[in-house]
Amino acid sequence: MMGKQNNQIQIVILDIDSMIPQDHLLRRIKNCVNFDFIYEKAAPYYSDVGRKSIDPVILIKMLLIGYLYGIKSERRLEEEVSLNLAYRWFCDMDLMQKVPDHSTFSQNRR
């Protein structure tokens, strides 16, 4: 009998941490580096009023991913972080969270 894929919507509870191998480069970095110092360093560049910004730690982690994996394009970096589970996990982003837009990096460079 021929099988046919069932496209019924499902609810899944997912532990992303358990899906990242123990010897993965990003796991080793995450275990060794505390990125909280970025908040203190970036504080002078943020206003106390207005809408909330994108977390600066996410931006730095995304740039680090781009450097480590040779992703030179900011558009490509946005796409890769959006699609790659290990990259999302490293940036502490869940599957429903929107990845920062590529133009954010250009604005921050200015």
Side-chain angles (χ1 to χ4, degrees), residues 92-107:
D92 296 315
M93 298 175 67
D94 60 38
L95 295 176
M96 301 306 293
Q97 193 171 350
K98 188 174 180 330
V99 174
D101 190 77
H102 65 273
S103 64
T104 304
F105 295 101
S106 304
Q107 294 297 322

Side-chain angles (χ1 to χ4, degrees), residues 31-99:
N31 288 339
C32 293
V33 180
N34 181 353
F35 289 92
D36 288 343
F37 72 93
I38 294 170
Y39 295 117
E40 184 181 327
K41 297 285 186 186
Y45 302 102
Y46 287 86
S47 174
D48 293 331
V49 295
R51 66 179 183 168
K52 282 192 171 187
S53 68
I54 296 170
D55 188 336
V57 172
I58 290 178
L59 297 175
I60 297 298
K61 285 182 175 182
M62 284 181 66
L63 289 172
L64 182 59
I65 288 168
Y67 176 76
L68 291 172
Y69 293 98
I71 304 169
K72 295 180 173 98
S73 163
E74 291 163 355
R75 290 177 189 268
R76 181 70 176 170
L77 180 61
E78 176 190 357
E79 181 181 0
E80 288 294 324
V81 172
S82 178
L83 296 174
N84 190 309
L85 193 60
Y87 296 170
R88 278 185 170 273
W89 171 83
F90 180 70
C91 293
D92 296 315
M93 298 175 67
D94 60 38
L95 295 176
M96 301 306 293
Q97 193 171 350
K98 188 174 180 330
V99 174

